[in-house]
Amino acid sequence: MNPNRPTDSLPAPGPDALAQSAALTEVIRERIAAAGGWLPFDQYMELALYAPALGYYSGGAMKFGRRAEDGSDFITAPELSPLFATTLARPIAQALQESGTRRVMEFGAGTGKLAAGLLTALADLGVEIDGYAIVDLSGELRERQRATIEAQAPAFAAKVEWLGALPDAFEGVVVGNEVLDAMPVRLVVRKLGAWHERGVVMQDEGFAFDDRAVTPDAQIELIDAAIDEANDDEPFTEYLTETHEAALAFTKTVCTMLKRGAAFFIDYGFPRREFYHAQRATGTLMCHYRHRAHADPFLYPGLQDLTAHVEFTGIAEAGVETGADLLGFTSQARFLMNAGITDVLSALDPADVKRFLPAANAVQKLLSEAEMGELFKVIAFSRGIEGTLDAFAAGDRSHAL
């Protein structure tokens, strides 16, 4: 790490965490040296997030929680309110019923709260499933998920299994909440019409960016045209953005695996024309540490989350290329309202102020344009489902992709 980097506003990690970060830093330095002194950013990001036992998601960091004081870095919708899972269960139940399937698979299950909530809510809806599979790379998170499910949904714990690899075929419903944004991205920058790839080099005790000129590949050529189209050919001295090969490949893999049923992905991002607007000329890469967002991906490697917004048009194209149907695309707010989140909230007794007010405040955050309601989107693919689902019946934005 660079000792001159300003970190005054961020809480300092403890000695064990610093030791883990130092160990990962050494692994990354060795990888950079082996690559000739320059490492593409997507490879740095993959190590920072997923290096065995040391990366952010593969190590033991707290990650999910409500506040910095509990050692966490960010909060997700399932952590914010159990009503998220209760509401999401409704379109999942409809997809299971209309496809005639009886299994659920979740990617990146976090603390297990979404799984526990879905298992309970599906049963309350009268939908019986044969199994609930969780795919997660982190052994530490697997144990947290197991403990959460056993505590919050003990009647269904026996139905849950953890997978170390994807099956060749799956029939049922796939769920991925904030999974696509955590996949490694390349950083590419257009400078006065010439394209460069942004990589990582060693600097003092840490790392720094270094740009190298590249011949545009198919992905960069697509981005080049998209930038001009989104901005009416406005010239840019410099335009920095990301490519999303890992997320596209993941989408294709999931949609190929899905033989019957549906796949839901919930994440923050934009359709292509919005994604490459001038407002995002400095890219969308973000870092999250102790509930504070900042722009330094080299701070405390392995101890902070690195994410990039999702370019949903590419995700839609990747899924459809496999032969899957695009089931729908809309904002999280519209999806949850269509699925009946206000009905779920109204089932609570307003006179029970201690329970109702926090629930109402959480729902407001899930729906508000100023919070998660507009930035977060829901995209879904299907096989063997006629038409669409109630959650996409109004306000579908597939035409904007």
Side-chain angles (χ1 to χ4, degrees), residues 177-231:
N177 182 60
E178 292 198 52
V179 170
L180 298 174
D181 69 271
M183 296 191 173
V185 295
R186 284 195 298 160
L187 296 182
V188 293
V189 56
R190 188 171 75 178
K191 300 178 180 181
L192 298 176
W195 280 98
H196 300 70
E197 182 166 359
R198 184 155 289 180
V200 181
V201 297
M202 292 181 280
Q203 181 183 77
D204 300 327
E205 297 298 316
F207 309 106
F209 282 127
D210 181 65
D211 296 343
R212 291 190 173 184
V214 294
T215 301
D217 56 21
Q219 191 66 24
I220 292 177
E221 289 178 348
L222 183 152
I223 291 171
D224 192 55
I227 291 171
D228 291 340
E229 181 180 355
N231 299 284

Side-chain angles (χ1 to χ4, degrees), residues 56-75:
Y56 182 74
Y57 284 106
S58 54
M62 176 71 178
K63 306 172 188 65
F64 309 95
R66 287 184 170 273
R67 57 187 64 86
E69 290 74 19
D70 62 22
S72 64
D73 299 302
F74 56 88
I75 188 169

Side-chain angles (χ1 to χ4, degrees), residues 257-272:
M257 174 192 72
L258 183 69
K259 302 306 178 184
R260 187 172 186 85
F264 296 86
F265 298 110
I266 306 165
D267 230 311
Y268 44 87
F270 309 93
R272 182 171 292 153

Side-chain angles (χ1 to χ4, degrees), residues 23-326:
L24 178 57
T25 296
E26 186 57 31
V27 169
I28 297 172
R29 290 174 69 86
E30 291 173 359
R31 181 69 67 86
I32 292 174
W38 186 90
L39 192 69
F41 181 79
D42 60 332
Q43 295 183 33
Y44 169 87
M45 185 172 176
E46 183 174 7
L47 289 169
L49 296 180
Y50 302 112
L54 297 175
Y56 182 74
Y57 284 106
S58 54
M62 176 71 178
K63 306 172 188 65
F64 309 95
R66 287 184 170 273
R67 57 187 64 86
E69 290 74 19
D70 62 22
S72 64
D73 299 302
F74 56 88
I75 188 169
T76 61
E79 304 290 322
L80 182 64
S81 171
L83 301 189
F84 178 81
T86 303
T87 306
L88 179 58
R90 295 181 170 197
I92 290 176
Q94 186 182 5
L96 289 169
Q97 292 169 338
E98 296 198 6
S99 63
T101 58
R102 296 169 61 91
R103 297 184 65 83
V104 177
M105 178 184 293
E106 183 183 356
F107 287 94
T111 64
K113 285 189 176 181
L114 180 57
L118 289 176
L119 285 163
T120 301
L122 287 170
D124 290 342
L125 292 169
V127 177
E128 183 176 353
I129 62 172
D130 293 335
Y132 193 108
I134 293 177
V135 183
D136 205 306
L137 297 175
S138 170
E140 181 268 340
L141 281 176
R142 285 187 178 198
E143 292 309 310
R144 290 185 66 189
Q145 292 156 10
R146 193 186 311 275
T148 298
I149 293 166
E150 289 177 351
Q152 298 183 9
F156 311 106
K159 292 190 175 184
V160 182
E161 63 175 331
W162 281 262
L163 304 181
L166 293 183
D168 292 332
F170 178 77
E171 294 188 351
V173 171
V174 176
V175 180
N177 182 60
E178 292 198 52
V179 170
L180 298 174
D181 69 271
M183 296 191 173
V185 295
R186 284 195 298 160
L187 296 182
V188 293
V189 56
R190 188 171 75 178
K191 300 178 180 181
L192 298 176
W195 280 98
H196 300 70
E197 182 166 359
R198 184 155 289 180
V200 181
V201 297
M202 292 181 280
Q203 181 183 77
D204 300 327
E205 297 298 316
F207 309 106
F209 282 127
D210 181 65
D211 296 343
R212 291 190 173 184
V214 294
T215 301
D217 56 21
Q219 191 66 24
I220 292 177
E221 289 178 348
L222 183 152
I223 291 171
D224 192 55
I227 291 171
D228 291 340
E229 181 180 355
N231 299 284
D232 299 321
D233 294 319
E234 176 185 344
F236 289 93
T237 302
E238 181 171 306
Y239 194 106
L240 172 67
T241 191
E242 305 90 23
T243 71
H244 303 81
E245 287 89 348
L248 297 176
F250 172 77
T251 303
K252 289 181 179 180
T253 298
V254 171
C255 289
T256 299
M257 174 192 72
L258 183 69
K259 302 306 178 184
R260 187 172 186 85
F264 296 86
F265 298 110
I266 306 165
D267 230 311
Y268 44 87
F270 309 93
R272 182 171 292 153
R273 187 172 178 84
E274 293 180 51
F275 190 94
Y276 294 112
H277 190 271
Q279 291 176 328
R280 281 166 282 283
T282 56
T284 71
L285 182 72
M286 296 191 303
C287 311
H288 297 278
Y289 178 76
R290 299 298 186 265
H291 291 265
R292 304 185 195 185
H294 65 92
D296 186 356
F298 305 133
L299 175 69
Y300 304 139
L303 304 185
Q304 64 171 348
D305 189 26
L306 308 181
T307 74
H309 286 48
V310 178
E311 195 272 273
F312 278 106
T313 301
I315 297 299
E317 292 170 348
V320 171
E321 282 177 14
T322 70
D325 296 320
L326 179 62

Side-chain angles (χ1 to χ4, degrees), residues 327-360:
L327 191 57
F329 172 69
T330 192
S331 68
Q332 176 176 285
R334 173 53 59 186
F335 181 85
L336 293 176
M337 287 190 291
N338 286 347
I341 194 170
T342 54
D343 295 333
V344 173
L345 178 62
S346 66
L348 301 180
D349 182 4
D352 186 354
V353 176
K354 289 185 177 180
R355 186 183 180 198
F356 183 81
L357 284 183

